[in-house]
Amino acid sequence: SSSSSSSDEGEGDEGVAVTAGQVKEAKERIKALVGQCFEAVSSELSFMPMENCFELFGFDFLVDADWNVWLLEANAEPDFAQTGQRLQAVISDMIAGVCAVAVPPLAAALTSSENGGAAAAAAAGSASSF
């Protein structure tokens, strides 16, 4: 027997066809829910931004058989140790992804400020010798 499928379809764990459009819509709903969560508590939070730092929050979602997205919980301090061995690769990939997104801008800002600081000090030193 042969089967055909388009490149935007796949099969879920239970053999149910999943389209790229369904996944994209679910991701968009998740993004919207996360945004709504931060908007809902923004007046009660007092973020103390620290230079060259970022925070990682945990949001647990459930996507049901009808592709409804449900927020289960949000965590300001997610505990990755409780994920178990089965999800260890997911957690490792997530942390690598966060570092790939968050660290380069921090490193660039640090390098820029160090270079700018050295240039400013050199300029100040030469200006004072006049």
Side-chain angles (χ1 to χ4, degrees), residues 52 102-114:
N52 298 321
V103 172
L106 297 175
L110 183 61
T111 301
S112 175
S113 68
E114 286 175 352

Side-chain angles (χ1 to χ4, degrees), residues 29-101:
R29 286 193 295 257
I30 288 169
K31 288 177 188 177
L33 285 167
V34 169
Q36 290 171 4
C37 286
F38 281 110
E39 285 178 24
V41 298
S42 64
S43 65
E44 297 181 26
L45 294 178
S46 57
F47 286 108
M48 299 290 287
M50 296 173 60
E51 191 174 336
N52 298 321
C53 295
F54 63 91
E55 291 187 60
L56 181 64
F57 294 86
F59 288 84
D60 296 343
F61 293 94
L62 177 131
V63 180
D64 68 19
D66 294 322
W67 287 89
N68 296 305
V69 176
W70 301 92
L71 172 64
L72 302 178
E73 68 177 340
N75 300 292
E77 298 174 4
D79 184 1
F80 298 119
Q82 292 186 6
T83 59
Q85 280 303 114
R86 186 174 65 92
L87 295 176
Q88 209 54 50
V90 173
I91 299 302
S92 293
D93 288 349
M94 184 269 311
I95 291 173
V98 167
C99 289
V101 170

Side-chain angles (χ1 to χ4, degrees), residues 16-36:
V16 177
V18 176
T19 68
Q22 289 170 309
V23 172
K24 182 179 179 181
E25 286 179 32
K27 286 181 178 180
E28 290 302 318
R29 286 193 295 257
I30 288 169
K31 288 177 188 177
L33 285 167
V34 169
Q36 290 171 4

